[in-house]
Amino acid sequence: MACFIVPVSEAVVTTIAERIVKKHEDKTVIAEHSEKIPFSQKLKVLNGMLWGGSGLLAFEHLWHGEITPWFPFLTNASNPADLSEMLYEMATAGTAMALLVTAVWGIMMLFIEKIRKKEKSAPIADRGEV
């Protein structure tokens, strides 16, 4: 019922971190033709994944009537007996989703770096450039 709250919380933290890192990168001198992707750009990808997935999941919960426009907004939060079920779902499913998205993002970033290194080390003729 409230599993999307955990990825949303991670998205809030990484969005703040992205802005702080971006400010720091803007202050430091970075070569225009740097071979590395700035970390703020990498965090931007993670933010997109987290916000997009959380938004879709929140919409799905809204569609099924699990989110209401009145306080306490979550149907399980209104009944104390259901509150423990909601917290359990957040701890298990929500944490698992947030970790999975972050792991997929990390693997994507590793593959991108590996591909960029391979392209950089390949001779010009092998890259298809003339």
Side-chain angles (χ1 to χ4, degrees):
M1 311 287 168
C3 55
F4 67 93
I5 292 176
V6 177
V8 165
S9 301
E10 182 183 359
V12 167
V13 170
T14 58
T15 300
I16 293 168
E18 175 198 349
R19 292 188 180 163
I20 292 170
V21 169
K22 179 72 173 156
K23 281 183 183 179
H24 179 69
E25 288 174 349
D26 289 344
K27 287 181 183 177
T28 59
V29 178
I30 300 174
E32 289 185 22
H33 300 291
S34 177
E35 297 298 323
K36 294 188 85 175
I37 299 171
F39 190 65
S40 62
Q41 287 297 108
K42 293 178 182 181
L43 280 176
K44 189 175 184 177
V45 172
L46 176 60
N47 289 335
M49 293 170 67
L50 288 168
W51 282 116
S54 299
L56 287 172
L57 194 56
F59 178 74
E60 185 268 335
H61 285 306
L62 180 67
W63 187 267
H64 288 103
E66 297 167 351
I67 299 175
T68 58
W70 54 84
F71 187 79
F73 306 113
L74 300 169
T75 55
N76 274 3
S78 60
N79 184 358
D82 293 335
L83 189 60
S84 65
E85 179 186 341
M86 182 184 75
L87 294 173
Y88 179 76
E89 182 180 340
M90 287 172 61
T92 56
T95 302
M97 287 187 296
L99 290 174
L100 181 64
V101 169
T102 306
V104 168
W105 168 78
I107 292 168
M108 283 175 31
M109 293 302 117
L110 287 173
F111 278 128
I112 289 170
E113 288 298 322
K114 189 173 253 191
I115 290 170
R116 289 175 61 91
K117 282 182 183 178
K118 188 175 183 180
E119 286 178 352
K120 182 182 172 189
S121 65
I124 293 176
D126 291 345
R127 291 188 227 162
E129 298 175 10
V130 185

